PDB file of all heavy atoms in Angstrom:
ATOM      1  N   ASP A  92     178.350-137.248 -36.594  1.00  0.00           N
ATOM      2  CA  ASP A  92     178.247-136.164 -35.607  1.00  0.00           C
ATOM      3  C   ASP A  92     179.641-135.582 -35.424  1.00  0.00           C
ATOM      4  O   ASP A  92     180.425-136.046 -34.591  1.00  0.00           O
ATOM      5  CB  ASP A  92     177.691-136.705 -34.287  1.00  0.00           C
ATOM      6  CG  ASP A  92     177.286-135.587 -33.337  1.00  0.00           C
ATOM      7  OD1 ASP A  92     177.470-134.420 -33.704  1.00  0.00           O
ATOM      8  OD2 ASP A  92     176.797-135.890 -32.233  1.00  0.00           O
ATOM      9  N   TYR A 171     174.707-103.292 -32.795  1.00  0.00           N
ATOM     10  CA  TYR A 171     174.275-104.517 -32.130  1.00  0.00           C
ATOM     11  C   TYR A 171     175.270-105.622 -32.470  1.00  0.00           C
ATOM     12  O   TYR A 171     175.482-105.932 -33.657  1.00  0.00           O
ATOM     13  CB  TYR A 171     172.866-104.898 -32.581  1.00  0.00           C
ATOM     14  CG  TYR A 171     171.799-103.975 -32.037  1.00  0.00           C
ATOM     15  CD1 TYR A 171     171.605-102.709 -32.590  1.00  0.00           C
ATOM     16  CD2 TYR A 171     171.006-104.355 -30.966  1.00  0.00           C
ATOM     17  CE1 TYR A 171     170.637-101.841 -32.096  1.00  0.00           C
ATOM     18  CE2 TYR A 171     170.030-103.498 -30.459  1.00  0.00           C
ATOM     19  CZ  TYR A 171     169.854-102.250 -31.028  1.00  0.00           C
ATOM     20  OH  TYR A 171     168.896-101.407 -30.524  1.00  0.00           O
ATOM     21  N   PHE A 208     169.342 -65.715 -31.438  1.00  0.00           N
ATOM     22  CA  PHE A 208     168.772 -64.563 -32.112  1.00  0.00           C
ATOM     23  C   PHE A 208     167.979 -63.672 -31.146  1.00  0.00           C
ATOM     24  O   PHE A 208     167.937 -62.453 -31.312  1.00  0.00           O
ATOM     25  CB  PHE A 208     167.887 -65.012 -33.281  1.00  0.00           C
ATOM     26  CG  PHE A 208     168.682 -65.469 -34.473  1.00  0.00           C
ATOM     27  CD1 PHE A 208     168.615 -66.782 -34.914  1.00  0.00           C
ATOM     28  CD2 PHE A 208     169.513 -64.574 -35.139  1.00  0.00           C
ATOM     29  CE1 PHE A 208     169.353 -67.184 -36.001  1.00  0.00           C
ATOM     30  CE2 PHE A 208     170.248 -64.983 -36.235  1.00  0.00           C
ATOM     31  CZ  PHE A 208     170.179 -66.292 -36.670  1.00  0.00           C
ATOM     32  N   ARG A 220     169.310 -47.318 -32.398  1.00  0.00           N
ATOM     33  CA  ARG A 220     168.560 -46.075 -32.490  1.00  0.00           C
ATOM     34  C   ARG A 220     167.079 -46.387 -32.564  1.00  0.00           C
ATOM     35  O   ARG A 220     166.673 -47.513 -32.808  1.00  0.00           O
ATOM     36  CB  ARG A 220     169.033 -45.296 -33.732  1.00  0.00           C
ATOM     37  CG  ARG A 220     170.507 -44.857 -33.609  1.00  0.00           C
ATOM     38  CD  ARG A 220     170.875 -43.929 -34.763  1.00  0.00           C
ATOM     39  NE  ARG A 220     170.740 -44.598 -36.052  1.00  0.00           N
ATOM     40  CZ  ARG A 220     171.732 -45.293 -36.606  1.00  0.00           C
ATOM     41  NH1 ARG A 220     172.883 -45.409 -35.978  1.00  0.00           N
ATOM     42  NH2 ARG A 220     171.540 -45.846 -37.784  1.00  0.00           N
ATOM     43  N   ALA A 230     164.975 -58.915 -39.820  1.00  0.00           N
ATOM     44  CA  ALA A 230     166.208 -59.637 -40.167  1.00  0.00           C
ATOM     45  C   ALA A 230     166.337 -60.929 -39.370  1.00  0.00           C
ATOM     46  O   ALA A 230     166.681 -61.989 -39.908  1.00  0.00           O
ATOM     47  CB  ALA A 230     167.420 -58.736 -39.934  1.00  0.00           C
ATOM     48  N   THR A 239     166.086 -72.649 -40.114  1.00  0.00           N
ATOM     49  CA  THR A 239     165.200 -73.771 -39.805  1.00  0.00           C
ATOM     50  C   THR A 239     164.889 -74.568 -41.064  1.00  0.00           C
ATOM     51  O   THR A 239     164.933 -75.804 -41.065  1.00  0.00           O
ATOM     52  CB  THR A 239     163.886 -73.245 -39.184  1.00  0.00           C
ATOM     53  OG1 THR A 239     164.205 -72.472 -38.037  1.00  0.00           O
ATOM     54  CG2 THR A 239     162.985 -74.405 -38.793  1.00  0.00           C
ATOM     55  N   MET A 244     165.693 -79.507 -44.394  1.00  0.00           N
ATOM     56  CA  MET A 244     166.060 -80.115 -45.675  1.00  0.00           C
ATOM     57  C   MET A 244     167.249 -81.045 -45.536  1.00  0.00           C
ATOM     58  O   MET A 244     167.306 -82.111 -46.150  1.00  0.00           O
ATOM     59  CB  MET A 244     166.372 -79.018 -46.708  1.00  0.00           C
ATOM     60  CG  MET A 244     165.144 -78.245 -47.185  1.00  0.00           C
ATOM     61  SD  MET A 244     163.865 -79.325 -47.836  1.00  0.00           S
ATOM     62  CE  MET A 244     164.728 -80.079 -49.204  1.00  0.00           C
ATOM     63  N   GLY A 306     186.864-114.221 -61.568  1.00  0.00           N
ATOM     64  CA  GLY A 306     187.076-115.249 -60.557  1.00  0.00           C
ATOM     65  C   GLY A 306     186.436-116.562 -60.947  1.00  0.00           C
ATOM     66  O   GLY A 306     186.986-117.632 -60.751  1.00  0.00           O
ATOM     67  N   ALA A 340     169.536-128.007 -86.395  1.00  0.00           N
ATOM     68  CA  ALA A 340     170.640-128.661 -87.089  1.00  0.00           C
ATOM     69  C   ALA A 340     170.984-129.973 -86.410  1.00  0.00           C
ATOM     70  O   ALA A 340     170.567-130.243 -85.280  1.00  0.00           O
ATOM     71  CB  ALA A 340     171.864-127.744 -87.121  1.00  0.00           C
ATOM     72  N   GLN A 440     152.336-131.158 -62.114  1.00  0.00           N
ATOM     73  CA  GLN A 440     153.165-130.787 -63.265  1.00  0.00           C
ATOM     74  C   GLN A 440     153.505-129.298 -63.244  1.00  0.00           C
ATOM     75  O   GLN A 440     154.641-128.903 -63.529  1.00  0.00           O
ATOM     76  CB  GLN A 440     152.437-131.142 -64.563  1.00  0.00           C
ATOM     77  CG  GLN A 440     152.390-132.632 -64.851  1.00  0.00           C
ATOM     78  CD  GLN A 440     151.533-132.950 -66.065  1.00  0.00           C
ATOM     79  OE1 GLN A 440     150.506-132.318 -66.302  1.00  0.00           O
ATOM     80  NE2 GLN A 440     151.943-133.947 -66.832  1.00  0.00           N
ATOM     81  N   ILE A 524     163.473-111.967 -57.689  1.00  0.00           N
ATOM     82  CA  ILE A 524     162.504-112.698 -56.862  1.00  0.00           C
ATOM     83  C   ILE A 524     161.093-112.234 -57.209  1.00  0.00           C
ATOM     84  O   ILE A 524     160.166-113.040 -57.356  1.00  0.00           O
ATOM     85  CB  ILE A 524     162.782-112.471 -55.361  1.00  0.00           C
ATOM     86  CG1 ILE A 524     164.165-113.003 -54.974  1.00  0.00           C
ATOM     87  CG2 ILE A 524     161.707-113.121 -54.504  1.00  0.00           C
ATOM     88  CD1 ILE A 524     164.320-114.472 -55.073  1.00  0.00           C
ATOM     89  N   SER A 546     146.182-101.164 -69.220  1.00  0.00           N
ATOM     90  CA  SER A 546     147.223-100.626 -70.105  1.00  0.00           C
ATOM     91  C   SER A 546     148.551-100.613 -69.362  1.00  0.00           C
ATOM     92  O   SER A 546     148.603-100.838 -68.139  1.00  0.00           O
ATOM     93  CB  SER A 546     146.864 -99.209 -70.539  1.00  0.00           C
ATOM     94  OG  SER A 546     146.901 -98.329 -69.415  1.00  0.00           O
ATOM     95  N   ARG A 585     161.537-109.723 -49.159  1.00  0.00           N
ATOM     96  CA  ARG A 585     161.104-110.791 -50.059  1.00  0.00           C
ATOM     97  C   ARG A 585     161.778-112.113 -49.708  1.00  0.00           C
ATOM     98  O   ARG A 585     162.881-112.135 -49.142  1.00  0.00           O
ATOM     99  CB  ARG A 585     161.429-110.411 -51.512  1.00  0.00           C
ATOM    100  CG  ARG A 585     160.595-109.246 -52.000  1.00  0.00           C
ATOM    101  CD  ARG A 585     161.043-108.701 -53.335  1.00  0.00           C
ATOM    102  NE  ARG A 585     160.537-107.339 -53.504  1.00  0.00           N
ATOM    103  CZ  ARG A 585     161.061-106.428 -54.291  1.00  0.00           C
ATOM    104  NH1 ARG A 585     162.132-106.726 -55.016  1.00  0.00           N
ATOM    105  NH2 ARG A 585     160.548-105.219 -54.364  1.00  0.00           N
TER     106      ARG A 585
END
Side-chain angles (χ1 to χ4, degrees):
D92 192 358
Y171 289 77
F208 284 116
R220 295 188 298 272
T239 303
M244 289 305 299
Q440 287 174 323
I524 298 294
S546 67
R585 292 171 200 156

